[in-house]
Amino acid sequence: MSATRYTYLGPEGTFTEAALRTLPEAATRELIPMVSVPAALDAVRHGDAAAALVPIENSVEGGVTATLDELASGEPLMIYREVVLPIAFALLVRPGTALTDIKTVTGHPVAQPQVRNWLRAHLANALWESAASNADGARLVQEGRFDAAFAGEFAAATYGLETLVTEIHDAENAETRFVLVGRPARPAAPTGADKTSVVVWLGEDHPGALLELLQEFAVRGVNLMLIQSRPTGAGIGNYCFAVDAEGHISDRRVGEALMGLKRISPKVRFLGSYPRAGVTPQDVRPLRAGTSDGEFMDAADWLARSQDGRI
């Protein structure tokens, strides 16, 4: 395995590359753009890279389905870090192009909902066609296949384009979350401001089946930060759920919730426990009464004494 090589969703000039370059270790790694999320992750699975950075969630569109589906299937991988990047788009064009010249536009499918209102107001008659990434859209404009692309402003220089409009976003404070993914290993030690990600499959379909899964977290005071259904491919009505929960697998409340899921679900895939981006232990809400590690240990001790007749 190449320990010095990281892959990312390319080509050069994507928001994913910008997010990757915020990691201190990126300065000492060979950064390799890949044509798709599956390609970036498969490089890790095959030992051609130590890790891959890929988008997983957007504050406007929700989960990035290509990443969620890849992590739920195939050879297991684990999340070790997350990066949250503010997102604003620029309209990139070939030199000399005016707004009135634009008849076709492109960008990543996740970008379209984030600029839909701007498009309606300023380019109502322009035809949209999706690209593999925002940077790939910029490349297609460079090649003359589209008139304009929505991408990061930093991509303009890479592809010899001009920035016609900047700071385009329908939603203020839009962000995208990216995850650094590697092969499975022991999670890093808890920091006090962690997140745990799993994929959970529903068993037999019946009223309350999803509620039963959620109760494993709720009764132990574990807050959920994301839950998104994804089809399993086994037919209509067959779903798995990507779940992000506050806490670390070594926290008693989180570990017991995961054990509870394993008892009632036909399949649970652990995707990692890792530090939350931009969050310190002081930022984390206080635990609900009865859910701290000490209280779990006291309860276990009480049970053991009761079983021994030491009441």
Side-chain angles (χ1 to χ4, degrees), residues 102-107 112 119 123-130 145-150:
I102 297 174
K103 308 301 180 187
T104 57
V105 294
T106 188
Q112 187 180 20
L119 268 173
L123 292 171
N125 296 319
L127 177 66
W128 170 283
E129 186 171 330
S130 293
R145 295 171 60 180
F146 294 92
D147 297 324
F150 288 98

Side-chain angles (χ1 to χ4, degrees), residues 56-64 87 110 114 174-177:
I56 195 168
E57 182 186 5
N58 178 266
S59 61
V60 176
E61 275 293 277
V64 178
I87 301 295
V110 174
Q114 300 180 65
E175 296 176 319
T176 294
R177 183 166 69 99

